[in-house]
Every structure is written in C-alpha cells, then in structure tokens.
Amino acid sequence: MSSPSSPTSTRMPTNRPRRSPLLLTLVSVAILLVAFIAFTQVYTEVLWFKQIDASQVFRTMWFTRGLTFAAGFVVMAIPVWVSLHLAFRNRPVYAPTTPRQENLDRYREAIEPLRKVATFAIPAVVGVLSGITASSHWNTVLQWMNSTSFGSKDAQFGMDKSFFVFVLPGLRLIGDQVGMAVLLSLIAALVGHYLFGGIRPGEQKGVILTKTAQWQLGITVGVLILIQAGRLWLARYERLTSTGGIVPGVTFTDDRAALPAMAIVAIAAVLVAFLFVYTAWKGNWRISLIATATLIVLGGISIIAYPAMVQQFQVSPSQQSLESEYIQHNIDATRDGFDFDDIDVTPYEPSTSGEKGALRADADTAASIRLLDPNLVSDTFRQLQQVRPYYSFPEQLDVDRYEIDGDMRDTVIAVRELAPDSVNNQSWYNRAIVYTHGFGVVAANGNQRSPDGEPLFMESDIPPKGEFPEYEPRVYFGESSPDYSIVGGEKGATPRELDYPSDEESGSGQVNNTFTGDGGPTLGNLFNRLAYALKYQDEQILLSDAVNDESQILYERHPRERVQKLAPFLKIDGDPYPAVVDGKIKWILDGYTTAKDYPYSTPQPLQEATEDSVTATAPNAVATLPDEEVNYIRNSVKITVDAYDGTVDMFQWDKEDPVLKTWMKIFPDLIKPSSEMSGDLMSHVRYPEDLFKVQRDLLTKYHVTTASEFYTGQDFWTLPTDPTKQANSGLTQPPFYMTLQMPGQKTPSFSLTSSYIPARSSEGQARNNLTGFLSADADAGSSKGEVADGYGKLRLLQLPRNTTVPGPGQAQNNFNTAPDVQRSLNLLRQGESEVQNGNLLTLPVGGGLLYVQPVYVRSAGDTSYPLLQHVLVAFGEDIGFAPTLDEALDQVFGGDSGAKAGDAGTEDSGSGESGGSSSGGDSGAKSDDQNLNEALEEAKKAMEDSDAALKEGDFEKYGKAQDRLKNAIEDAVAADPSLAEDGTKDGASAPASDPADQGGGN
C-alpha cells in the first residue's frame, strides 16, 4: 500500500533465479513420503480394529474427532478471518496529514506484501489449534449427545445429575471455544482496523473510528460480554463440584451469597451486552464504557467481596451449625459417587488374650490362611519352574482360587511368559519369528508348603501337569510379550515357532509350533507388509522370506494396553490376572467408568489413591490408575483377554451405571451382557483391587456419616505404611486377598481386606493402634451369568477409639523385638543368609485380631530363592513362632487353637519331597525340621546361659555354654545344610539380638 503523495517509481527488471526442478522434486517426494508414512499409521490402526471386530469403535471415535476438529476450526478461524477481512476491505483512503500518520503509513507499506498471507495464515493457525483442542474432547461431545438419566436430582438446583455429568461439560466446552474465538476476533479487529486506518488518533485528542470499525467493535464486544454472561451462569452449576469451601460442593456462603450474586451479575452483563450493540448504532461509547466499569465493580463486590464478608462475619463464628447441611450433602454424595453408601459398619471390641480353643468357630478361616507371599515367591517360581532363561515370571504374582476335588483353594498363580530380552541370539528372525510365546501357568496352594519350604504346586512343568483340567497353554498375549511377532504358516509348512524345550534323546532339544488362531492382521499382501515395515521401521518385515501369505502380525499384546486401546472411555485396573477358564488361559481385567462432575462428591486423585508398596516395588507387574481426579467411579465392566489369540470380551457388570449405559449407546455392539459369562469365568471374577484402594482411602474420613462428627475430624483414620518395607519409606500397605469369615458372615468367602490406624495429630504424631478393618466380598459365585448375592459387599469393623489392639506397625515391631524370635532369626541369618518378612496379614478371628506373617530364608548366591521356613503369629501381645502356622497358632492359643491350619502336619510328611517337579538353585533343604527345632531351642538356651555367666563373671561356665552353643549350631547345620556357610563353620557364637533389627533386608 502506498501513499497518494509518494512519487511514482520505475520498476527495474530483475533476474530472479529459477527454482531447481530437482529441488522441487525432492521436496515433493519428501512431502509425499511423510504423508504416506502418516497414512500407514492410520491404515494399520484400521487393520487392527477390523481384525478384532471393533471397526465401529474406530469409525465412531475418528468420525467424532473429525467433526469436532472441523467445528473447532470453523468456530475459531472464520470469525478471525472475517475480522481481518472487514478491517481491510473497509479501510479508509486518505492522505496522511500528520507525521504520526506518515509513520503509520510506512508500516502499512512494509506489511502489505505479507497481508494476504497473514489474512489467511493467522485464522488457519488459530483454527487448527482450536480444532485440535476440540477434537481431544470427542468423548465429552459423545456423552452429551447420548446422555442417560441418573434418576436422582442434586440437592441445590433440583436437576437430574446427568446434567452435571454429561451436559454441563459439553456446554462448558462450547462456551470456552466460542468465548476464545470472539476474544481473538476482537483482538484481530482492533489490530486490523488500526493498521488499515479504521482506528486512528484524532488531531487533538481521542480516537477516530470509521463507521465499519464502530459497528464491528461494538457488536463483537457485545457478543463477547453476552458469552461471558452465559459462562457466568453456567459457573453457578459448577459450584457443585468446586473445592474452595470447607467441603467440595456448594457451601453456606455459596448458597446465600455467591450464587445469587452470580445470577444478578450474569443478567446485568446481558443488559451491558445489548448496550454495546446500541453503541455500535449510535456511536456513543461513553455510556457503554461506564456500564462496563460498573459491571466490573458490581462483579467484584457481589461475587468476591460480599461472599468474603459473609464468610468472615457470619459463617466463621458459627461454621459448624451453618455448614452442617452442606457437609451432609458432601458426605452423602461422596459415599454414593464412590459406591460405598451401603457399607455394613459393625462395632467390634476385640479380645487381646488368646484363649485355648478360640479358633474353633473360625476353623475354616484358619485352614485357608494364605502363607505364600505373592511378592516374595516370584524368585522361587522362577528357579523351580522357569525351565529356560527365555521364560519369566512377573515380580508380583497373583492370588486367585480354584476348585480342586470339590474344595475351593486360595492359589498363587503366574503365567510362564516369554522374556524376549533373555534370548541369547537377538537376531530379527529369532525375535520376530521363533520366540513368539510363553507356555502354561504355574499355580501353588496358598495355604500349604512342602517340608523344605518350597511352594506346593498344583499345576506346573512343561507340558503342564497337575490338578487343573486340560487347557491351551500357549501364551501369545501377555504382560511381557514382544512388541510384535509374525506367526502362522502355510498348510504343511515346517513349523518355525519354538513351542517348548524338549529333552528327548532323539529330539532337537525343542518342539516347534505354528499359530493357528486369528490373532492379528494379515501380512498376506505386499502393501500390508510395507505398511507394517514403516510402522515399526523394520525392513525385514518387507524382505524376509519367513513372511508368507498366511502370516499374521501380533501386536498390542499387553492385556491392559490392548483393552485400553479398544475401550478408551474406561479406566483399566492396574493388575490384570491370569486364570484357566473353559480350557483357555485368559487375562481377567476390571474396567471402570468415571466422572469428574458428580454433584457435591469429593474428587479423588486416582494415581495417589492406588499407589502402595507393591506398585512402588513391582511397577512392571502392577500399575496405578492414571493421574486424574474423579468424583464418581463404578466397576462397570469385566473383561477377558484370551492369552492365545488376543480375543477381547467385555461384559456389562454394573447394569445400573448411567455412564456405562451412555457409552453402550455410543458403541452398541462392544459390550456383552453379563448373562453370557460362563460359570467357570464367574468363579474367577474377584472384587477389583484399584476400586477397593480408592474406596478404602476415602473411608479414612467418610466412614463418619454425620456432619457434626465430620466437622470435628477427631475420628479420622489413615492407612498404615507397609511394615515389611524399610522404616520411613512412606509406602502404604497393600490390600490382601484371602478367604475369611467376617463377624456376621455365615460362611467364609474370598475377600479383599485392609486395615486402618488413627490419623496423625496436628503435630505429626501417630498412634499405630488398629481402629478399623475393611473387607470386600470378592467371590462372584460360579453360576453362569448370575452374580452371588454377597459379591461386592463392604464390611467395616470399627474398633473402640481407646483400643489397645496393635496396628500392623506395632505388630511388626513386636515381632522384631521379641527376644526369643530374634535369637532364632539370628541363627537363620548365619552364613550371609537373608531373612525376609512376608506380607503381614490381619484377620478378625477368635473374637480378636490375628496377625500372620510368613518368614522366608534366602541363602547367598545368584541363583538362590526364598524358602518359607517359619511363621510368626500375634494375637494381642501374645506371639507365636514356629516352622508351621498350625504350631504357631497353638502357641498363641494356650497349646490348642481349636483349628487346623492348611500346613498342619507338614513337618511329618517326610523330607526330600519337593513342592515342584523341577529343582535348582543353591539354597539347599532341611533334612529334618524336628532336629532343627531342637537345635534352635538348645542354641537359645545356651545363649541365655552365656549371658547369665557373663553377668556373674563366671568364665568357666561361660566357656561351657559357648561349647554347647557351638554344638547346637553344628546340629542346626546338620539339620539344615542351607546354614552351612562361613559364619557357621567357624563355630563363632551367634550375634547378640538387636532390638532395632528389622530383619530380612526389608
């Protein structure tokens, strides 16, 4: 753009360099290549969803993403473009009359070459950013369009809760997008009109606007204020989930001051918006600006200052009485939002003295007490059942139950998975073609052990043998499967996949197999091979002769990740667990539907609530939920993933959940009715661990059901830290699966349990006394499609506030400092052996609280593994310590507990019998438990006599006692060769007990 007074210039011809055809070709090829790579990523996604028969998910999700992107682009780009276009098209033509205008005109000339590009580029850029933001909210739009009524209303506005959960987020999204679009349009209009002369400084003072600028700015500002009025009106509803008050949700100040003020200001803003439209017509900006300033002052006083005064001078002096109604709303909504409003709370006054025969009424529970710690026995499974280094077991094993000979048994189970990184030859052919799958499950009785401390396996070895019915053992989909494998082959072709090792004399050392299922997209054509070669940046997929017309590529193989991709609207439990179901190995997972806008409910950070000592020490085996806050959650879906072919089956578990019903409208064929679940599958369904963690965390406060008690906070609890970990680790004790009979229950059931201790004081001090015990009935029954009546029932035992029952930390401390226990453990630690404390279980039996902890011994050496050697038991202040749980219970309960534990008679079953069919490691085994016990007792007495002799100064007596101690240690070594290390060969006396010793490297 040039000034009318500028001199005419003669344009001289210029010799611009011609662009190189080669350069243009290279750029074009690069663009096409990038586009093709992007296309292959989408194309392989289409193939994956099609292969698992879930194309509807892909179509719906990406179609909605496309529509929301387009809507976001249009809503943002068009208003900005219109603002810039109108500013230029209606620019005034005038000759500059002042130096200031001449300077501005030079700027206009400078930007003129970029004007056309900027007029389209700026709206396009902000439109793309807006579209990306909008498309990320595709789930919000779908839920809004398919919302389902909750059938209940909020306590403040009397509206169905679906408005807050489904509709309000959608309206908020539109308000945010449109509000930002109008704001950017206003900025574009101001800048455009200023640059093109529609806004210019007056000759004396003030600003001169053209008629077009006046209309455009006035209407734009009016629309912006109108949108802000609407957003302010919606913000009233958002107060039901705000967290700024004494509790989340509307408080007294909100109800009596803030909400009415917000409504008044919103209405006033509408009037001011129309006033700006009037200004656009009349051109008198003074009235509109005064009205805007008045509106701002009104908003500041009524929405900020007035509520603050009400809070300070009316609420604070009488907060408990005035806030009582609103606290009660929060309590009721939180308990409902997290599905524990019908929890059974039972006052429980536990006995602290173990009477003879006290467990007679709890005989079934005592017989089922789990001794195997799934956190510790992974190495034992690995040494006894790994078979080859290219197999592995997870760091954390799983607890399930199986019916064997008519009896339900708690079982520790793991899949023998492929460990790709342990394959010796890491060639592409080995990684992708040969080593493709794991083989079989290994399961051990949870309440028993072999005489030498190894697990008593009920299913083991390759090929599998044991007490399970016959099943398909191959594991192509698991938690440690390779990123991808290429499987399948032409009929009659030589199998290439290593199935399992074989030691037959005439064999090759292995048995091969060809995958025959339908587990992945086909590689039967050249284009698919090229697409996957680009996806994984591996040319071997395209070039290898091992890929044939029948080949399939298996990927997305981790059960949790596979389900999350198929159902992105679900939160998936962090611990998929394997089960042998209907002749197949299936991974069972729990899916959660959640919401962030459930009225009055307290938001809960999922990741923080699901963290504990297991997720910290075995993150590859057990994950936390995502780092999100929700105030509504349901275990609405049960899911299985077939370990052989990756088939995903999703079943509607919660038939009343409106959130799931909404998603079932969106994806009508994705989730099956629970009536299709087989009885075998039902018998392995359990109450989900992550949901239980979230609920137990909230119950530290929300076990209190009255507003007055909640306000004082004097009865709040906390979760104990894991006493088996290092002191001050801060790691929360995990919940435990076990079979038990809670007080009031008629029969024992498979349950998930946790305990509570008092909350820390304001000074940070804590009492480690037990205040509560929580149990969830985890047994879904075994009838096809029918859930057992008691499943999911939460039961809370509430102990008296002045209870003296030790909490887990105190119980562990009592174990660690008991002199008799320490002397025995010190002997077990001889020769660099390590004592490891197993999980500390709490059981409400015998009229009190029983603590049970297995004690494992692990010798030195790279191939060592922990062996279950002793069991610690505590009831009140009484402690039992014996090679078997049965003996330890008798010690605590007057010589006869009245019940038989699962390991009763273990030491009488003979020596040399192994719990598994494989052996390995250098831990050794006890030849005779009875001899070992006698030797330990003699060593204990000799140590006591040595201490007494030293105090008396009788060194002759001390020397004799030391000789007895040496002989006792030698007898112990003879009874248990695992003690035969350097520290026991030199005859040195056992180290003195150390009350501060925490034991076992924990």
Side-chain angles (χ1 to χ4, degrees), residues 416-444:
R416 187 187 291 106
E417 289 205 58
L418 182 68
D421 294 337
S422 298
V423 175
N424 289 329
N425 183 352
Q426 287 286 321
S427 68
W428 177 87
Y429 190 88
N430 270 347
R431 289 186 291 107
I433 305 296
V434 177
Y435 293 91
T436 59
H437 60 278
F439 206 92
V441 300
V442 177

mmCIF file of all heavy atoms in Angstrom, residues 416-444:
data_model
loop_
_atom_site.group_PDB
_atom_site.id
_atom_site.type_symbol
_atom_site.label_atom_id
_atom_site.label_comp_id
_atom_site.label_asym_id
_atom_site.label_seq_id
_atom_site.Cartn_x
_atom_site.Cartn_y
_atom_site.Cartn_z
ATOM 1 N N ARG A 416 3.817 -68.489 32.750
ATOM 2 C CA ARG A 416 5.209 -68.627 32.300
ATOM 3 C C ARG A 416 5.315 -67.910 30.955
ATOM 4 O O ARG A 416 5.038 -68.453 29.903
ATOM 5 C CB ARG A 416 5.608 -70.095 32.168
ATOM 6 C CG ARG A 416 7.086 -70.302 31.875
ATOM 7 C CD ARG A 416 7.420 -71.748 31.592
ATOM 8 N NE ARG A 416 7.305 -72.589 32.789
ATOM 9 C CZ ARG A 416 6.317 -73.440 33.011
ATOM 10 N NH1 ARG A 416 5.328 -73.547 32.121
ATOM 11 N NH2 ARG A 416 6.285 -74.173 34.102
ATOM 12 N N GLU A 417 5.705 -66.647 31.030
ATOM 13 C CA GLU A 417 5.720 -65.814 29.833
ATOM 14 C C GLU A 417 7.075 -65.824 29.148
ATOM 15 O O GLU A 417 8.107 -66.169 29.753
ATOM 16 C CB GLU A 417 5.341 -64.378 30.188
ATOM 17 C CG GLU A 417 3.880 -64.200 30.555
ATOM 18 C CD GLU A 417 3.409 -62.785 30.319
ATOM 19 O OE1 GLU A 417 3.520 -62.317 29.169
ATOM 20 O OE2 GLU A 417 2.943 -62.157 31.283
ATOM 21 N N LEU A 418 7.062 -65.396 27.912
ATOM 22 C CA LEU A 418 8.293 -65.234 27.159
ATOM 23 C C LEU A 418 9.023 -63.984 27.651
ATOM 24 O O LEU A 418 8.407 -62.946 27.890
ATOM 25 C CB LEU A 418 7.981 -65.106 25.671
ATOM 26 C CG LEU A 418 9.170 -64.974 24.723
ATOM 27 C CD1 LEU A 418 9.960 -66.276 24.685
ATOM 28 C CD2 LEU A 418 8.690 -64.601 23.326
ATOM 29 N N ALA A 419 10.348 -64.104 27.812
ATOM 30 C CA ALA A 419 11.198 -62.965 28.170
ATOM 31 C C ALA A 419 12.064 -62.632 26.966
ATOM 32 O O ALA A 419 13.153 -63.178 26.802
ATOM 33 C CB ALA A 419 12.056 -63.283 29.391
ATOM 34 N N PRO A 420 11.606 -61.758 26.071
ATOM 35 C CA PRO A 420 12.309 -61.526 24.807
ATOM 36 C C PRO A 420 13.750 -61.080 24.972
ATOM 37 O O PRO A 420 14.622 -61.461 24.189
ATOM 38 C CB PRO A 420 11.468 -60.422 24.139
ATOM 39 C CG PRO A 420 10.138 -60.468 24.807
ATOM 40 C CD PRO A 420 10.395 -60.933 26.205
ATOM 41 N N ASP A 421 14.021 -60.286 26.007
ATOM 42 C CA ASP A 421 15.381 -59.771 26.183
ATOM 43 C C ASP A 421 16.364 -60.835 26.644
ATOM 44 O O ASP A 421 17.570 -60.592 26.656
ATOM 45 C CB ASP A 421 15.374 -58.612 27.184
ATOM 46 C CG ASP A 421 14.607 -57.404 26.659
ATOM 47 O OD1 ASP A 421 14.471 -57.295 25.420
ATOM 48 O OD2 ASP A 421 14.140 -56.591 27.473
ATOM 49 N N SER A 422 15.861 -61.998 27.051
ATOM 50 C CA SER A 422 16.738 -63.070 27.542
ATOM 51 C C SER A 422 17.110 -64.068 26.461
ATOM 52 O O SER A 422 17.804 -65.041 26.739
ATOM 53 C CB SER A 422 16.059 -63.796 28.712
ATOM 54 O OG SER A 422 15.841 -62.910 29.788
ATOM 55 N N VAL A 423 16.615 -63.856 25.245
ATOM 56 C CA VAL A 423 17.001 -64.735 24.136
ATOM 57 C C VAL A 423 18.463 -64.484 23.809
ATOM 58 O O VAL A 423 18.894 -63.341 23.657
ATOM 59 C CB VAL A 423 16.109 -64.465 22.901
ATOM 60 C CG1 VAL A 423 16.580 -65.290 21.719
ATOM 61 C CG2 VAL A 423 14.653 -64.771 23.229
ATOM 62 N N ASN A 424 19.243 -65.561 23.713
ATOM 63 C CA ASN A 424 20.688 -65.417 23.507
ATOM 64 C C ASN A 424 21.017 -64.729 22.188
ATOM 65 O O ASN A 424 21.791 -63.787 22.138
ATOM 66 C CB ASN A 424 21.368 -66.790 23.565
ATOM 67 C CG ASN A 424 21.382 -67.362 24.970
ATOM 68 O OD1 ASN A 424 21.445 -66.595 25.934
ATOM 69 N ND2 ASN A 424 21.307 -68.669 25.105
ATOM 70 N N ASN A 425 20.440 -65.207 21.103
ATOM 71 C CA ASN A 425 20.704 -64.639 19.788
ATOM 72 C C ASN A 425 19.603 -63.644 19.458
ATOM 73 O O ASN A 425 18.476 -64.029 19.152
ATOM 74 C CB ASN A 425 20.765 -65.753 18.727
ATOM 75 C CG ASN A 425 21.115 -65.212 17.354
ATOM 76 O OD1 ASN A 425 21.177 -64.009 17.137
ATOM 77 N ND2 ASN A 425 21.339 -66.117 16.418
ATOM 78 N N GLN A 426 19.933 -62.363 19.516
ATOM 79 C CA GLN A 426 18.924 -61.318 19.335
ATOM 80 C C GLN A 426 18.752 -60.933 17.862
ATOM 81 O O GLN A 426 18.567 -59.766 17.532
ATOM 82 C CB GLN A 426 19.295 -60.088 20.156
ATOM 83 C CG GLN A 426 19.091 -60.248 21.648
ATOM 84 C CD GLN A 426 17.620 -60.213 22.037
ATOM 85 O OE1 GLN A 426 16.836 -59.457 21.511
ATOM 86 N NE2 GLN A 426 17.257 -61.051 22.992
ATOM 87 N N SER A 427 18.819 -61.905 16.975
ATOM 88 C CA SER A 427 18.576 -61.618 15.567
ATOM 89 C C SER A 427 17.105 -61.300 15.346
ATOM 90 O O SER A 427 16.241 -61.707 16.132
ATOM 91 C CB SER A 427 18.981 -62.811 14.698
ATOM 92 O OG SER A 427 18.118 -63.909 14.931
ATOM 93 N N TRP A 428 16.813 -60.610 14.239
ATOM 94 C CA TRP A 428 15.420 -60.283 13.937
ATOM 95 C C TRP A 428 14.609 -61.562 13.779
ATOM 96 O O TRP A 428 13.462 -61.644 14.245
ATOM 97 C CB TRP A 428 15.335 -59.453 12.653
ATOM 98 C CG TRP A 428 13.912 -59.157 12.270
ATOM 99 C CD1 TRP A 428 13.157 -58.115 12.686
ATOM 100 C CD2 TRP A 428 13.072 -59.932 11.400
ATOM 101 N NE1 TRP A 428 11.889 -58.179 12.149
ATOM 102 C CE2 TRP A 428 11.811 -59.289 11.351
ATOM 103 C CE3 TRP A 428 13.256 -61.103 10.677
ATOM 104 C CZ2 TRP A 428 10.746 -59.780 10.599
ATOM 105 C CZ3 TRP A 428 12.204 -61.607 9.923
ATOM 106 C CH2 TRP A 428 10.965 -60.946 9.876
ATOM 107 N N TYR A 429 15.168 -62.575 13.145
ATOM 108 C CA TYR A 429 14.447 -63.822 12.906
ATOM 109 C C TYR A 429 14.051 -64.480 14.229
ATOM 110 O O TYR A 429 12.913 -64.948 14.391
ATOM 111 C CB TYR A 429 15.329 -64.768 12.083
ATOM 112 C CG TYR A 429 14.608 -65.997 11.572
ATOM 113 C CD1 TYR A 429 13.932 -65.974 10.359
ATOM 114 C CD2 TYR A 429 14.591 -67.187 12.313
ATOM 115 C CE1 TYR A 429 13.264 -67.091 9.888
ATOM 116 C CE2 TYR A 429 13.926 -68.306 11.854
ATOM 117 C CZ TYR A 429 13.268 -68.261 10.641
ATOM 118 O OH TYR A 429 12.595 -69.370 10.190
ATOM 119 N N ASN A 430 14.965 -64.506 15.171
ATOM 120 C CA ASN A 430 14.642 -65.086 16.479
ATOM 121 C C ASN A 430 13.576 -64.261 17.194
ATOM 122 O O ASN A 430 12.612 -64.798 17.743
ATOM 123 C CB ASN A 430 15.897 -65.159 17.344
ATOM 124 C CG ASN A 430 16.630 -66.471 17.171
ATOM 125 O OD1 ASN A 430 16.097 -67.426 16.605
ATOM 126 N ND2 ASN A 430 17.860 -66.530 17.645
ATOM 127 N N ARG A 431 13.753 -62.957 17.204
ATOM 128 C CA ARG A 431 12.840 -62.099 17.962
ATOM 129 C C ARG A 431 11.439 -62.082 17.372
ATOM 130 O O ARG A 431 10.452 -62.027 18.104
ATOM 131 C CB ARG A 431 13.388 -60.669 18.029
ATOM 132 C CG ARG A 431 14.602 -60.515 18.928
ATOM 133 C CD ARG A 431 15.025 -59.053 19.067
ATOM 134 N NE ARG A 431 15.568 -58.525 17.814
ATOM 135 C CZ ARG A 431 14.928 -57.673 17.033
ATOM 136 N NH1 ARG A 431 13.703 -57.258 17.356
ATOM 137 N NH2 ARG A 431 15.488 -57.213 15.923
ATOM 138 N N ALA A 432 11.324 -62.110 16.043
ATOM 139 C CA ALA A 432 10.021 -61.936 15.409
ATOM 140 C C ALA A 432 9.375 -63.241 14.983
ATOM 141 O O ALA A 432 8.144 -63.337 14.938
ATOM 142 C CB ALA A 432 10.161 -61.018 14.190
ATOM 143 N N ILE A 433 10.157 -64.264 14.679
ATOM 144 C CA ILE A 433 9.620 -65.485 14.078
ATOM 145 C C ILE A 433 9.670 -66.680 15.016
ATOM 146 O O ILE A 433 8.720 -67.470 15.083
ATOM 147 C CB ILE A 433 10.387 -65.818 12.776
ATOM 148 C CG1 ILE A 433 10.363 -64.624 11.811
ATOM 149 C CG2 ILE A 433 9.815 -67.061 12.113
ATOM 150 C CD1 ILE A 433 8.996 -64.253 11.303
ATOM 151 N N VAL A 434 10.764 -66.837 15.754
ATOM 152 C CA VAL A 434 10.988 -68.067 16.534
ATOM 153 C C VAL A 434 10.418 -67.943 17.944
ATOM 154 O O VAL A 434 9.598 -68.761 18.382
ATOM 155 C CB VAL A 434 12.490 -68.409 16.578
ATOM 156 C CG1 VAL A 434 12.725 -69.640 17.459
ATOM 157 C CG2 VAL A 434 13.023 -68.646 15.172
ATOM 158 N N TYR A 435 10.860 -66.930 18.663
ATOM 159 C CA TYR A 435 10.436 -66.769 20.053
ATOM 160 C C TYR A 435 9.193 -65.889 20.082
ATOM 161 O O TYR A 435 9.273 -64.655 20.089
ATOM 162 C CB TYR A 435 11.559 -66.164 20.895
ATOM 163 C CG TYR A 435 12.747 -67.084 21.059
ATOM 164 C CD1 TYR A 435 13.804 -67.038 20.154
ATOM 165 C CD2 TYR A 435 12.794 -68.004 22.089
ATOM 166 C CE1 TYR A 435 14.897 -67.880 20.293
ATOM 167 C CE2 TYR A 435 13.878 -68.861 22.240
ATOM 168 C CZ TYR A 435 14.925 -68.801 21.330
ATOM 169 O OH TYR A 435 15.995 -69.647 21.476
ATOM 170 N N THR A 436 8.038 -66.518 20.077
ATOM 171 C CA THR A 436 6.780 -65.788 19.912
ATOM 172 C C THR A 436 5.850 -65.881 21.109
ATOM 173 O O THR A 436 4.950 -65.050 21.238
ATOM 174 C CB THR A 436 6.026 -66.307 18.677
ATOM 175 O OG1 THR A 436 5.756 -67.711 18.844
ATOM 176 C CG2 THR A 436 6.840 -66.090 17.407
ATOM 177 N N HIS A 437 6.026 -66.873 21.987
ATOM 178 C CA HIS A 437 5.008 -67.063 23.030
ATOM 179 C C HIS A 437 5.571 -67.767 24.256
ATOM 180 O O HIS A 437 6.586 -68.466 24.187
ATOM 181 C CB HIS A 437 3.835 -67.869 22.474
ATOM 182 C CG HIS A 437 4.210 -69.240 21.981
ATOM 183 N ND1 HIS A 437 4.746 -69.454 20.732
ATOM 184 C CD2 HIS A 437 4.110 -70.467 22.556
ATOM 185 C CE1 HIS A 437 4.969 -70.757 20.563
ATOM 186 N NE2 HIS A 437 4.594 -71.388 21.659
ATOM 187 N N GLY A 438 4.870 -67.541 25.363
ATOM 188 C CA GLY A 438 5.156 -68.268 26.590
ATOM 189 C C GLY A 438 4.375 -69.570 26.621
ATOM 190 O O GLY A 438 3.676 -69.926 25.664
ATOM 191 N N PHE A 439 4.487 -70.279 27.779
ATOM 192 C CA PHE A 439 3.879 -71.601 27.805
ATOM 193 C C PHE A 439 3.412 -71.972 29.209
ATOM 194 O O PHE A 439 4.213 -72.205 30.119
ATOM 195 C CB PHE A 439 4.899 -72.646 27.329
ATOM 196 C CG PHE A 439 4.279 -73.882 26.743
ATOM 197 C CD1 PHE A 439 4.033 -73.970 25.380
ATOM 198 C CD2 PHE A 439 3.917 -74.951 27.550
ATOM 199 C CE1 PHE A 439 3.455 -75.112 24.828
ATOM 200 C CE2 PHE A 439 3.338 -76.092 27.019
ATOM 201 C CZ PHE A 439 3.110 -76.173 25.646
ATOM 202 N N GLY A 440 2.098 -71.989 29.382
ATOM 203 C CA GLY A 440 1.482 -72.566 30.579
ATOM 204 C C GLY A 440 1.455 -71.657 31.790
ATOM 205 O O GLY A 440 2.047 -70.585 31.828
ATOM 206 N N VAL A 441 0.720 -72.122 32.794
ATOM 207 C CA VAL A 441 0.658 -71.440 34.083
ATOM 208 C C VAL A 441 1.290 -72.314 35.142
ATOM 209 O O VAL A 441 1.404 -73.535 34.994
ATOM 210 C CB VAL A 441 -0.800 -71.106 34.489
ATOM 211 C CG1 VAL A 441 -1.460 -70.207 33.477
ATOM 212 C CG2 VAL A 441 -1.614 -72.369 34.710
ATOM 213 N N VAL A 442 1.723 -71.667 36.200
ATOM 214 C CA VAL A 442 2.235 -72.362 37.382
ATOM 215 C C VAL A 442 1.406 -71.876 38.555
ATOM 216 O O VAL A 442 1.234 -70.669 38.743
ATOM 217 C CB VAL A 442 3.722 -72.070 37.605
ATOM 218 C CG1 VAL A 442 4.211 -72.754 38.880
ATOM 219 C CG2 VAL A 442 4.545 -72.536 36.409
ATOM 220 N N ALA A 443 0.871 -72.816 39.331
ATOM 221 C CA ALA A 443 -0.009 -72.459 40.442
ATOM 222 C C ALA A 443 0.367 -73.270 41.664
ATOM 223 O O ALA A 443 0.722 -74.451 41.562
ATOM 224 C CB ALA A 443 -1.473 -72.697 40.077
ATOM 225 N N ALA A 444 0.301 -72.623 42.822
ATOM 226 C CA ALA A 444 0.647 -73.285 44.077
ATOM 227 C C ALA A 444 -0.429 -73.019 45.108
ATOM 228 O O ALA A 444 -1.094 -71.968 45.095
ATOM 229 C CB ALA A 444 1.996 -72.789 44.594
#
